[in-house]
Amino acid sequence: MQKCELDTPALFLDLEIFERNLILMRDTAKAAGKKLRPHAKTHKCPEIAKRQLECGNCTGICAAKLSEAEKLSEAGIQNILITSPISAPWKIARTGKLNREISGLQLTVDTPEQIRLLAAQASCEHPLHLLIDVDPEMGRTGVNSNEALELAKFIQKFPNLIIDGVQCYAGHLQHIRDFNERITESTRLMKLGAASFNEIKKIAPQCHIFTGTGTGTMQADIKIPEVTDIQVGSYCMMDAEYLAVDHGKINFSPALRILASVINCRIPGQATIDAGTKAIYVTPGAPPRVMKNGAVDPDFTYDWSFGDEHGRLTFPENITLFPAQRLELIVSHCDPTVNLFDELWIVKGDEVIDRWEISLRGCCR
């Protein structure tokens, strides 16, 4: 089957690029003495999670939400860290069930209320393993670094709860375009998390994990001695938002693409394609990029101004497109774009060789 035989818009993954990205990240982390804990929020695909684990040097898989973790467990995946603290009582009740069903479940916490509710779901036979979420001055989740020790002391009041470590993820730094600025700021913030980790280890010897980072900051974070593993996600797929970032010496290639087709091109220098906001997540400042012969074609500019069903391409008037012509685009932001599709077509060369289900799609609870 040829790529051109796919109906459009279709989401596909270049298998050879994908596998090179996995190997590059594995070897980079291993050389620094760190493990990988890849984040499934990017791909929402159990098959990809399994391949990341099989590639080696992994300590587990991350899930952003409880529902993602439940789907991963249904696919037979163990050792799952849920990176977003869970506070709703009805969700916490489900964590107890999941903890009994799989091995290696870990949860992040940032309030005493969560901890009390989690203790009610755990038992000495099936204790819950917790990581304290430290806020890297982002204001989203987590406790201030100077409050982490007190939260650890509170957890120790419950014999069915175990402190496994500390999480510190600076999501707001991942797309800072200047490499040196991004590296400097991530180093500063991760050192705050490391200080909390060192303090907690003094009272909780079983505390052995300091995890966090992302694709954009991993080159800085693997140099922090206390970091044990990195929660990288986008590296396996990549997108236009990351293409706009200076990655220094280590660059991952865009394996994820949208296959779209031209609907109308009657106006010179403009074409309407069949991939609008329902197919490509809107990311201001990082529109999709048209690919030609394996490289970004700078002559084409995409925007979402044509709405839900349609995208607009503009280009020099000396370029000619025709209706039904197929185009490959690097997506704007891989995580939410993947969430718009049910399946991922796997391509090797010009052949479609497989189809992987995006079974975590819509798992936002």
Side-chain angles (χ1 to χ4, degrees), residues 256-283:
L256 185 71
R257 320 277 176 77
I258 287 278
L259 187 67
S261 57
V262 176
I263 296 175
N264 183 298
C265 50
R266 64 182 179 81
I267 299 174
Q270 177 180 297
T272 302
I273 64 173
D274 61 357
T277 61
K278 287 183 180 178
I280 306 175
Y281 183 78
V282 179
T283 304

Side-chain angles (χ1 to χ4, degrees), residues 192-315:
L192 293 178
S196 298
F197 175 62
N198 288 330
E199 281 189 329
I200 293 168
K201 282 200 300 181
K202 293 176 183 177
I203 67 162
Q206 76 278 12
C207 176
H208 65 286
I209 295 170
F210 179 39
T211 183
T213 198
T215 299
T217 61
M218 70 90 184
Q219 292 185 68
D221 302 341
I222 59 175
K223 295 179 180 178
I224 304 294
E226 291 84 356
V227 168
T228 55
D229 58 76
I230 56 176
Q231 300 178 6
V232 286
S234 297
Y235 77 99
C236 67
M237 291 182 156
M238 299 304 283
D239 51 38
E241 194 170 20
Y242 267 119
L243 278 184
V245 168
D246 178 5
H247 291 277
K249 295 180 180 179
I250 301 175
N251 286 277
F252 300 92
S253 301
L256 185 71
R257 320 277 176 77
I258 287 278
L259 187 67
S261 57
V262 176
I263 296 175
N264 183 298
C265 50
R266 64 182 179 81
I267 299 174
Q270 177 180 297
T272 302
I273 64 173
D274 61 357
T277 61
K278 287 183 180 178
I280 306 175
Y281 183 78
V282 179
T283 304
R289 306 296 302 276
V290 172
M291 295 283 287
K292 185 178 180 181
N293 299 323
V296 172
D297 191 331
D299 288 330
F300 288 86
T301 300
Y302 176 98
D303 68 69
W304 290 273
S305 61
F306 281 178
D308 297 349
E309 318 298 342
H310 310 109
R312 185 172 83 123
L313 285 180
T314 53
F315 43 86

Side-chain angles (χ1 to χ4, degrees), residues 11 61-62 85 91 104 120 164 215 249 277 293 317 332 353 358:
L11 194 67
I61 291 290
C62 290
K91 292 184 183 180
D164 276 356
T215 299
K249 295 180 180 179
T277 61
N293 299 323
E317 292 187 8
S332 53
I353 62 170
I358 303 172

